Amino acid sequence: GQQLNQSPQSMFIQEGEDVSMNCTSSSIFNTWLWYKQDPGEGPVLLIALYKAGELTSNGRLTAQFGITRKDSFLNISASIPSDVGIYFCAVNNDMRFGAGTRLTVKP
Amino acid sequence: DSGVTQTPKHLITATGQRVTLRCSPRSGDLSVYWYQQSLDQGLQFLIQYYNGEERAKGNILERFSAQQFPDLHSELNLSSLELGDSALYFCASSGSGTANEKLFFGSGTQLSVL
């Protein structure tokens, strides 16, 4: 099946820094989604992208649907301690998730 | 609160045993998905049901089975348990189960096989 390559695997940043992560695939998709999993909880949808080139924001979060339809990016600006968690990309064609980016924010 | 309810929250059992995990989807959602998350692993899709019928199958072992009942709740049965089955099992639901739909996850069942 299609592979979703998510990077980086983990990030350790200082509070206030910006964060960037991405997800790539060799296949084309019509939908990219970004979820966040808080420790001990299930993933929660952050942003959904439905069109190539689309740029969508949700507060300090901004995600983009790559123009080739094979990738997506998630940026978090001015990180805060509650941003800690695992961020997953997903494509809804086959319920597949990326391996996740584990974010640690140091106060 | 996502509206998806999973029970039990924690389950401890021994190798060779059989357990049943239960999931109630959000009110009105017809589709249920099961995922497995092992330590430091991503979310592995197991199986999807829509309105009582199996719709898609992922990396689900033959020792595992699931079903969705007429009231739309779902159960995941894990049998002949092995140490490697220890993981967090998530249920998610969506409205119609079609592509491009957002999933709403429960808080998971933590299974420990000793």
Side-chain angles (χ1 to χ4, degrees), chain A residues 36-58:
Chain A
K36 183 198 175 193
Q37 183 180 21
D38 287 328
E41 297 295 327
V44 173
L45 182 69
L46 296 175
I47 291 179
L49 303 159
Y50 299 108
K51 201 164 70 171
E54 180 181 353
L55 187 71
T56 297
S57 292
N58 178 6

PDB file of all heavy atoms in Angstrom, chain A residues 36-58:
ATOM      1  N   LYS A  36      -3.622  15.597  16.193  1.00  0.00           N
ATOM      2  CA  LYS A  36      -2.717  15.684  17.350  1.00  0.00           C
ATOM      3  C   LYS A  36      -3.198  14.717  18.420  1.00  0.00           C
ATOM      4  O   LYS A  36      -4.408  14.649  18.709  1.00  0.00           O
ATOM      5  CB  LYS A  36      -2.675  17.101  17.917  1.00  0.00           C
ATOM      6  CG  LYS A  36      -1.680  17.217  19.069  1.00  0.00           C
ATOM      7  CD  LYS A  36      -1.940  18.460  19.900  1.00  0.00           C
ATOM      8  CE  LYS A  36      -0.993  18.462  21.105  1.00  0.00           C
ATOM      9  NZ  LYS A  36      -1.375  19.453  22.114  1.00  0.00           N
ATOM     10  N   GLN A  37      -2.246  13.989  19.001  1.00  0.00           N
ATOM     11  CA  GLN A  37      -2.566  13.072  20.085  1.00  0.00           C
ATOM     12  C   GLN A  37      -1.887  13.560  21.361  1.00  0.00           C
ATOM     13  O   GLN A  37      -0.657  13.578  21.461  1.00  0.00           O
ATOM     14  CB  GLN A  37      -2.091  11.655  19.764  1.00  0.00           C
ATOM     15  CG  GLN A  37      -2.447  10.633  20.821  1.00  0.00           C
ATOM     16  CD  GLN A  37      -1.970   9.247  20.465  1.00  0.00           C
ATOM     17  OE1 GLN A  37      -1.060   9.074  19.651  1.00  0.00           O
ATOM     18  NE2 GLN A  37      -2.561   8.237  21.076  1.00  0.00           N
ATOM     19  N   ASP A  38      -2.702  13.980  22.325  1.00  0.00           N
ATOM     20  CA  ASP A  38      -2.173  14.336  23.645  1.00  0.00           C
ATOM     21  C   ASP A  38      -1.837  13.047  24.397  1.00  0.00           C
ATOM     22  O   ASP A  38      -2.448  12.003  24.142  1.00  0.00           O
ATOM     23  CB  ASP A  38      -3.203  15.134  24.436  1.00  0.00           C
ATOM     24  CG  ASP A  38      -3.342  16.553  23.914  1.00  0.00           C
ATOM     25  OD1 ASP A  38      -2.350  17.106  23.426  1.00  0.00           O
ATOM     26  OD2 ASP A  38      -4.462  17.100  23.981  1.00  0.00           O
ATOM     27  N   PRO A  39      -0.896  13.118  25.322  1.00  0.00           N
ATOM     28  CA  PRO A  39      -0.534  11.919  26.097  1.00  0.00           C
ATOM     29  C   PRO A  39      -1.752  11.278  26.749  1.00  0.00           C
ATOM     30  O   PRO A  39      -2.543  11.953  27.411  1.00  0.00           O
ATOM     31  CB  PRO A  39       0.434  12.482  27.149  1.00  0.00           C
ATOM     32  CG  PRO A  39       1.031  13.696  26.503  1.00  0.00           C
ATOM     33  CD  PRO A  39      -0.066  14.284  25.670  1.00  0.00           C
ATOM     34  N   GLY A  40      -1.936   9.966  26.525  1.00  0.00           N
ATOM     35  CA  GLY A  40      -3.032   9.236  27.150  1.00  0.00           C
ATOM     36  C   GLY A  40      -4.388   9.431  26.515  1.00  0.00           C
ATOM     37  O   GLY A  40      -5.399   8.957  27.053  1.00  0.00           O
ATOM     38  N   GLU A  41      -4.424  10.102  25.377  1.00  0.00           N
ATOM     39  CA  GLU A  41      -5.706  10.366  24.714  1.00  0.00           C
ATOM     40  C   GLU A  41      -5.689   9.867  23.272  1.00  0.00           C
ATOM     41  O   GLU A  41      -4.642   9.506  22.744  1.00  0.00           O
ATOM     42  CB  GLU A  41      -6.006  11.866  24.719  1.00  0.00           C
ATOM     43  CG  GLU A  41      -6.178  12.466  26.099  1.00  0.00           C
ATOM     44  CD  GLU A  41      -7.401  11.921  26.817  1.00  0.00           C
ATOM     45  OE1 GLU A  41      -8.403  11.617  26.141  1.00  0.00           O
ATOM     46  OE2 GLU A  41      -7.342  11.771  28.056  1.00  0.00           O
ATOM     47  N   GLY A  42      -6.859   9.890  22.655  1.00  0.00           N
ATOM     48  CA  GLY A  42      -6.937   9.567  21.239  1.00  0.00           C
ATOM     49  C   GLY A  42      -6.620  10.785  20.390  1.00  0.00           C
ATOM     50  O   GLY A  42      -6.694  11.916  20.863  1.00  0.00           O
ATOM     51  N   PRO A  43      -6.252  10.578  19.127  1.00  0.00           N
ATOM     52  CA  PRO A  43      -5.962  11.711  18.236  1.00  0.00           C
ATOM     53  C   PRO A  43      -7.188  12.589  18.018  1.00  0.00           C
ATOM     54  O   PRO A  43      -8.317  12.108  18.003  1.00  0.00           O
ATOM     55  CB  PRO A  43      -5.547  11.030  16.929  1.00  0.00           C
ATOM     56  CG  PRO A  43      -5.142   9.654  17.320  1.00  0.00           C
ATOM     57  CD  PRO A  43      -6.020   9.291  18.479  1.00  0.00           C
ATOM     58  N   VAL A  44      -6.908  13.864  17.828  1.00  0.00           N
ATOM     59  CA  VAL A  44      -7.952  14.834  17.556  1.00  0.00           C
ATOM     60  C   VAL A  44      -7.604  15.567  16.271  1.00  0.00           C
ATOM     61  O   VAL A  44      -6.455  15.961  16.073  1.00  0.00           O
ATOM     62  CB  VAL A  44      -8.089  15.845  18.722  1.00  0.00           C
ATOM     63  CG1 VAL A  44      -9.061  16.951  18.375  1.00  0.00           C
ATOM     64  CG2 VAL A  44      -8.522  15.140  19.999  1.00  0.00           C
ATOM     65  N   LEU A  45      -8.593  15.752  15.413  1.00  0.00           N
ATOM     66  CA  LEU A  45      -8.342  16.425  14.143  1.00  0.00           C
ATOM     67  C   LEU A  45      -7.993  17.890  14.368  1.00  0.00           C
ATOM     68  O   LEU A  45      -8.676  18.607  15.101  1.00  0.00           O
ATOM     69  CB  LEU A  45      -9.579  16.334  13.252  1.00  0.00           C
ATOM     70  CG  LEU A  45      -9.432  16.971  11.875  1.00  0.00           C
ATOM     71  CD1 LEU A  45      -8.462  16.168  11.010  1.00  0.00           C
ATOM     72  CD2 LEU A  45     -10.785  17.093  11.190  1.00  0.00           C
ATOM     73  N   LEU A  46      -6.908  18.341  13.719  1.00  0.00           N
ATOM     74  CA  LEU A  46      -6.503  19.748  13.782  1.00  0.00           C
ATOM     75  C   LEU A  46      -6.950  20.505  12.539  1.00  0.00           C
ATOM     76  O   LEU A  46      -7.570  21.560  12.620  1.00  0.00           O
ATOM     77  CB  LEU A  46      -4.980  19.845  13.895  1.00  0.00           C
ATOM     78  CG  LEU A  46      -4.326  19.263  15.143  1.00  0.00           C
ATOM     79  CD1 LEU A  46      -2.817  19.331  15.011  1.00  0.00           C
ATOM     80  CD2 LEU A  46      -4.791  19.990  16.389  1.00  0.00           C
ATOM     81  N   ILE A  47      -6.552  19.975  11.403  1.00  0.00           N
ATOM     82  CA  ILE A  47      -6.793  20.668  10.131  1.00  0.00           C
ATOM     83  C   ILE A  47      -7.051  19.630   9.043  1.00  0.00           C
ATOM     84  O   ILE A  47      -6.389  18.590   9.003  1.00  0.00           O
ATOM     85  CB  ILE A  47      -5.567  21.536   9.743  1.00  0.00           C
ATOM     86  CG1 ILE A  47      -5.418  22.721  10.706  1.00  0.00           C
ATOM     87  CG2 ILE A  47      -5.703  22.046   8.313  1.00  0.00           C
ATOM     88  CD1 ILE A  47      -4.216  23.603  10.399  1.00  0.00           C
ATOM     89  N   ALA A  48      -7.977  19.931   8.148  1.00  0.00           N
ATOM     90  CA  ALA A  48      -8.255  19.097   6.985  1.00  0.00           C
ATOM     91  C   ALA A  48      -8.027  19.921   5.724  1.00  0.00           C
ATOM     92  O   ALA A  48      -8.415  21.091   5.665  1.00  0.00           O
ATOM     93  CB  ALA A  48      -9.690  18.585   7.028  1.00  0.00           C
ATOM     94  N   LEU A  49      -7.393  19.314   4.738  1.00  0.00           N
ATOM     95  CA  LEU A  49      -7.063  19.992   3.475  1.00  0.00           C
ATOM     96  C   LEU A  49      -7.637  19.193   2.326  1.00  0.00           C
ATOM     97  O   LEU A  49      -7.417  17.979   2.246  1.00  0.00           O
ATOM     98  CB  LEU A  49      -5.536  20.096   3.325  1.00  0.00           C
ATOM     99  CG  LEU A  49      -4.808  20.813   4.458  1.00  0.00           C
ATOM    100  CD1 LEU A  49      -3.341  20.410   4.491  1.00  0.00           C
ATOM    101  CD2 LEU A  49      -4.933  22.321   4.287  1.00  0.00           C
ATOM    102  N   TYR A  50      -8.344  19.865   1.437  1.00  0.00           N
ATOM    103  CA  TYR A  50      -9.062  19.155   0.392  1.00  0.00           C
ATOM    104  C   TYR A  50      -8.655  19.529  -1.025  1.00  0.00           C
ATOM    105  O   TYR A  50      -9.160  18.948  -1.992  1.00  0.00           O
ATOM    106  CB  TYR A  50     -10.571  19.401   0.543  1.00  0.00           C
ATOM    107  CG  TYR A  50     -11.133  18.900   1.861  1.00  0.00           C
ATOM    108  CD1 TYR A  50     -11.510  19.808   2.855  1.00  0.00           C
ATOM    109  CD2 TYR A  50     -11.266  17.550   2.120  1.00  0.00           C
ATOM    110  CE1 TYR A  50     -12.022  19.357   4.065  1.00  0.00           C
ATOM    111  CE2 TYR A  50     -11.778  17.094   3.326  1.00  0.00           C
ATOM    112  CZ  TYR A  50     -12.154  18.001   4.295  1.00  0.00           C
ATOM    113  OH  TYR A  50     -12.658  17.552   5.493  1.00  0.00           O
ATOM    114  N   LYS A  51      -7.752  20.533  -1.155  1.00  0.00           N
ATOM    115  CA  LYS A  51      -7.412  20.985  -2.495  1.00  0.00           C
ATOM    116  C   LYS A  51      -5.922  21.258  -2.597  1.00  0.00           C
ATOM    117  O   LYS A  51      -5.330  21.873  -1.698  1.00  0.00           O
ATOM    118  CB  LYS A  51      -8.183  22.276  -2.776  1.00  0.00           C
ATOM    119  CG  LYS A  51      -8.333  22.609  -4.237  1.00  0.00           C
ATOM    120  CD  LYS A  51      -9.432  23.659  -4.473  1.00  0.00           C
ATOM    121  CE  LYS A  51      -9.040  25.016  -3.972  1.00  0.00           C
ATOM    122  NZ  LYS A  51     -10.017  26.054  -4.412  1.00  0.00           N
ATOM    123  N   ALA A  52      -5.311  20.829  -3.711  1.00  0.00           N
ATOM    124  CA  ALA A  52      -3.889  21.056  -3.922  1.00  0.00           C
ATOM    125  C   ALA A  52      -3.579  22.541  -3.832  1.00  0.00           C
ATOM    126  O   ALA A  52      -4.279  23.367  -4.411  1.00  0.00           O
ATOM    127  CB  ALA A  52      -3.465  20.506  -5.283  1.00  0.00           C
ATOM    128  N   GLY A  53      -2.517  22.863  -3.085  1.00  0.00           N
ATOM    129  CA  GLY A  53      -2.125  24.246  -2.907  1.00  0.00           C
ATOM    130  C   GLY A  53      -2.832  24.950  -1.767  1.00  0.00           C
ATOM    131  O   GLY A  53      -2.452  26.050  -1.367  1.00  0.00           O
ATOM    132  N   GLU A  54      -3.849  24.314  -1.205  1.00  0.00           N
ATOM    133  CA  GLU A  54      -4.636  24.945  -0.140  1.00  0.00           C
ATOM    134  C   GLU A  54      -3.773  25.213   1.087  1.00  0.00           C
ATOM    135  O   GLU A  54      -2.978  24.369   1.492  1.00  0.00           O
ATOM    136  CB  GLU A  54      -5.799  24.019   0.229  1.00  0.00           C
ATOM    137  CG  GLU A  54      -6.711  24.538   1.329  1.00  0.00           C
ATOM    138  CD  GLU A  54      -7.832  23.546   1.648  1.00  0.00           C
ATOM    139  OE1 GLU A  54      -7.961  22.532   0.926  1.00  0.00           O
ATOM    140  OE2 GLU A  54      -8.567  23.787   2.620  1.00  0.00           O
ATOM    141  N   LEU A  55      -3.959  26.391   1.661  1.00  0.00           N
ATOM    142  CA  LEU A  55      -3.267  26.782   2.889  1.00  0.00           C
ATOM    143  C   LEU A  55      -4.340  27.105   3.911  1.00  0.00           C
ATOM    144  O   LEU A  55      -5.181  27.970   3.665  1.00  0.00           O
ATOM    145  CB  LEU A  55      -2.397  28.006   2.625  1.00  0.00           C
ATOM    146  CG  LEU A  55      -1.454  28.472   3.741  1.00  0.00           C
ATOM    147  CD1 LEU A  55      -0.315  27.486   3.906  1.00  0.00           C
ATOM    148  CD2 LEU A  55      -0.909  29.856   3.412  1.00  0.00           C
ATOM    149  N   THR A  56      -4.335  26.410   5.039  1.00  0.00           N
ATOM    150  CA  THR A  56      -5.392  26.581   6.028  1.00  0.00           C
ATOM    151  C   THR A  56      -4.788  26.806   7.407  1.00  0.00           C
ATOM    152  O   THR A  56      -3.825  26.136   7.770  1.00  0.00           O
ATOM    153  CB  THR A  56      -6.295  25.334   6.056  1.00  0.00           C
ATOM    154  OG1 THR A  56      -6.930  25.194   4.788  1.00  0.00           O
ATOM    155  CG2 THR A  56      -7.373  25.459   7.127  1.00  0.00           C
ATOM    156  N   SER A  57      -5.361  27.730   8.154  1.00  0.00           N
ATOM    157  CA  SER A  57      -4.872  28.024   9.505  1.00  0.00           C
ATOM    158  C   SER A  57      -5.916  27.700  10.544  1.00  0.00           C
ATOM    159  O   SER A  57      -7.129  27.783  10.295  1.00  0.00           O
ATOM    160  CB  SER A  57      -4.494  29.500   9.618  1.00  0.00           C
ATOM    161  OG  SER A  57      -3.363  29.777   8.830  1.00  0.00           O
ATOM    162  N   ASN A  58      -5.423  27.333  11.720  1.00  0.00           N
ATOM    163  CA  ASN A  58      -6.271  27.079  12.881  1.00  0.00           C
ATOM    164  C   ASN A  58      -5.510  27.622  14.081  1.00  0.00           C
ATOM    165  O   ASN A  58      -4.706  26.932  14.690  1.00  0.00           O
ATOM    166  CB  ASN A  58      -6.536  25.575  13.017  1.00  0.00           C
ATOM    167  CG  ASN A  58      -7.372  25.257  14.249  1.00  0.00           C
ATOM    168  OD1 ASN A  58      -7.842  26.161  14.935  1.00  0.00           O
ATOM    169  ND2 ASN A  58      -7.559  23.980  14.511  1.00  0.00           N
TER     170      ASN A  58
END
